[in-house]
């Protein structure tokens, strides 16, 4: 009976999910010895690293799982740390059996990569990207988000990934593998998470040129463990500079979503960002117009930034063989702005706001066309 009870406890503990790796502890080889003495269970687990940020949560979940087994009235959890060899085996397992670091978002990957671009800054591209990511996750998709706007990173703040010191949390590292923090179901990485911490000598500014920017984007794509994703969004810097060129080289198969405001000054340069993306082989899949007309309490309309820019960009980027739709026209919204300041996306905080409905409509359009196996050759070697 004691052996059978111990096996039931092991099964319950093995099913506990690591909150950072999003996989069961049993699959990650983190469960150690399980001993049962009467109605007391002694449970051993091994964390990935010393000082694991998720240690308290894992220990609590393990304790609760063991205590849920019928016949167990008390639980003692012993917490250890994986050896270097165990961590090496774990990182190889997470990489799908590959010891060598590889970029997992190549043309054969099932993850759909969408780069969100704009011609100029100040059009709300990052705010829209953050809300789109959350809206897609709310639809049940597995979503990752790379803040590729290295000089003007803002995604952590928009998603509430800020600690008590006002800084983004440092990601957990397992040797060379980086685990992205999760906000609202979205796995997020940003250069802001790697800046110096309080008490050290540096401000939170990045003054890098082309080679450093390229290496940063490449590391985000290679060293960050996103796991299996349906969609990977990249919040691109405005314009057509070094990062846009690097992403075009690293992800030539990526889809591109262009953000503009209604005014001609933004729309004209937005067309250029889509044109440059096409030159690298990327496909422009749509346009989102932000800061469009809002309806005032008296029923009148306020066109603060004019009108027609989104339609103009969509028409300019459409070709005979490739129609580019205007996916959404997002009106000016105090709730959208407030949600960004508070780190609580408007699509969750105020789902009935006109801006939320417009963003969710764009997310719905993106969600119906995931990448898949259709039309792709499968690498299968028939047995003799």
């Amino acid at each position: 009976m004691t052996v059978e009870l111990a096996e039931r406890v092991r099964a319950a503990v093995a099913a506990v999910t690591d909150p950072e790796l999003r996989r069961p502890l049993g699959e990650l080889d983190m469960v150690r010895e399980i001993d049962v003495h009467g109605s007391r269970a002694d449970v051993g687990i091994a964390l990935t690293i010393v000082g694991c940020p998720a240690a308290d949560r894992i220990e609590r979940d393990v304790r609760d799982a063991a205590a849920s087994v019928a016949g167990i009235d008390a639980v003692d959890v012993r917490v250890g740390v994986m050896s270097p060899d165990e961590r090496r085996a774990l990182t190889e397992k997470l990489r799908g059996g590959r010891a060598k670091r590889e970029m997992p978002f190549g043309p054969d990957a099932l993850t759909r990569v969408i780069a969100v671009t704009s011609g100029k800054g100040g059009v709300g591209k990052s705010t829209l990207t953050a809300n789109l990511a959350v809206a897609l996750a709310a639809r049940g998709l597995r979503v990752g988000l790379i803040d590729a706007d290295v000089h003007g990173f803002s995604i952590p703040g928009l998603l509430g990934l800020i600690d008590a010191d006002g800084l983004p949390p440092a990601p957990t590292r397992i040797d060379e593998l980086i685990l992205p923090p999760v906000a609202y179901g979205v796995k997020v990485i940003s250069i802001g998470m790697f800046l110096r911490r309080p008490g050290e000598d540096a401000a939170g500014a990045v003054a890098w040129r082309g080679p450093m920017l390229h290496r940063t984007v490449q590391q985000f794509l290679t060293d960050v463990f996103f796991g299996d994703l349906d969609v990977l969004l990249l919040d691109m810097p405005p314009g057509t500079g070094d990062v846009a060129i690097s992403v075009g080289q690293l992800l030539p198969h990526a889809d591109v979503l262009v953000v503009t405001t209604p005014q001609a000054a933004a729309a004209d340069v937005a067309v250029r960002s889509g044109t440059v993306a096409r030159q690298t082989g990327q496909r422009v899949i749509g346009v989102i117009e932000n800061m469009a007309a809002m309806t005032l309490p008296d029923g009148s309309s306020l066109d603060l930034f004019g009108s027609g820019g989104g339609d103009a960009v969509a028409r300019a980027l459409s070709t005979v063989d490739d129609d580019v739709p205007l996916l959404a026209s997002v009106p000016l919204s105090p709730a959208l702005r407030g949600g960004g300041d508070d780190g609580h996306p408007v699509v969750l905080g105020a789902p009935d706001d006109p801006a939320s409905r417009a963003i969710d409509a764009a997310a719905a359009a993106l969600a119906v066309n995931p990448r898949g196996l259709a039309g792709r050759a499968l690498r299968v070697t028939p047995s003799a």
Side-chain angles (χ1 to χ4, degrees):
M1 177 63 181
T2 300
V3 173
E4 180 183 344
L5 190 55
E7 288 304 313
R8 294 211 304 269
V9 172
R10 178 176 291 279
V13 170
V16 171
T17 299
D18 183 297
E20 293 184 304
L21 292 170
R22 300 297 182 95
R23 294 192 185 181
L25 300 188
E27 182 181 326
L28 299 172
D29 297 324
M30 294 172 65
V31 183
R32 294 296 181 259
E33 65 284 350
I34 305 285
D35 296 315
V36 173
H37 306 280
S39 61
R40 190 186 85 244
D42 295 329
V43 179
I45 58 172
L47 302 179
T48 52
I49 59 171
V50 175
C52 173
D56 289 343
R57 178 175 170 182
I58 292 174
E59 183 177 353
R60 183 177 64 250
D61 291 349
V62 165
R63 189 181 306 278
D64 292 344
S68 70
V69 176
I72 298 298
D73 297 325
V75 179
D76 180 36
V77 180
R78 299 186 298 276
V79 180
V81 179
M82 284 184 168
S83 68
D85 286 342
E86 289 172 331
R87 281 196 299 274
R88 196 174 302 114
L90 174 61
T91 56
E92 186 174 334
K93 176 183 288 187
L94 294 174
R95 288 185 176 126
R98 301 183 301 272
K100 180 182 176 182
R101 291 185 294 175
E102 295 179 6
M103 202 270 283
F105 302 111
D108 293 330
L110 297 183
T111 300
R112 186 183 190 190
V113 180
I114 302 175
V116 185
T117 71
S118 66
K120 63 191 293 293
V123 300
K125 167 185 53 61
S126 296
T127 298
L128 290 180
T129 305
N131 276 276
L132 277 173
V134 172
L136 288 167
R139 290 176 172 273
L141 298 181
R142 296 164 296 183
V143 182
L145 173 52
I146 292 178
D147 188 354
D149 193 351
V150 176
H151 293 128
F153 56 88
S154 58
I155 290 295
L158 291 167
L159 291 176
L161 285 170
I162 299 296
D163 61 21
D165 297 306
L167 293 173
T172 300
R173 291 175 179 263
I174 305 176
D175 294 337
E176 295 178 336
L177 209 62
I178 300 170
L179 306 184
V182 180
Y184 305 107
V186 178
K187 297 180 179 179
V188 184
I189 202 69
S190 169
I191 193 62
M193 298 171 180
F194 299 88
L195 299 182
R196 293 183 183 271
R197 313 306 293 167
E200 298 183 358
D201 294 327
V206 176
W208 295 342
R209 300 183 74 177
M212 283 288 286
L213 296 172
H214 181 89
R215 178 170 172 76
T216 298
V217 174
Q218 189 172 40
Q219 277 195 290
F220 282 171
L221 292 169
T222 303
D223 293 349
V224 178
F225 177 70
F226 286 102
D228 295 327
L229 295 180
D230 296 306
V231 180
L232 175 66
L233 293 171
L234 283 81
D235 180 37
M236 300 289 290
T240 56
D242 291 318
V243 172
I245 295 170
S246 292
V247 170
Q249 293 172 342
L250 295 166
L251 299 166
H253 57 283
D255 293 335
V256 171
L257 187 61
V258 178
V259 177
T260 185
T261 59
Q263 66 185 120
D268 291 345
V269 292
V271 173
R272 296 177 208 161
S273 68
T275 301
V276 168
R278 275 213 179 106
Q279 290 172 354
T280 65
Q282 296 172 328
R283 183 172 68 103
V284 181
I285 58 170
V287 174
I288 295 182
E289 180 184 72
N290 194 27
M291 305 183 193
M294 68 180 297
T295 301
L296 300 177
D298 64 1
S300 62
S301 181
L302 174 62
D303 294 333
L304 188 61
F305 292 100
S307 62
D311 277 323
V313 173
R315 288 196 305 272
L317 291 174
S318 294
T319 65
V320 174
D321 300 320
D322 188 11
D323 180 58
V324 175
L326 176 63
L327 295 179
S329 184
V330 181
L332 284 165
S333 166
L336 178 60
R337 189 273 308 161
D341 290 344
D342 297 337
H344 190 57
V346 71
V347 292
L348 296 182
D352 293 328
D353 185 82
S356 292
R357 292 199 296 267
I359 294 170
D360 191 61
L366 296 175
V368 298
N369 187 28
R371 286 173 63 85
L373 292 171
R376 219 179 298 187
L378 300 180
R379 297 177 179 177
V380 177
T381 302
S383 58

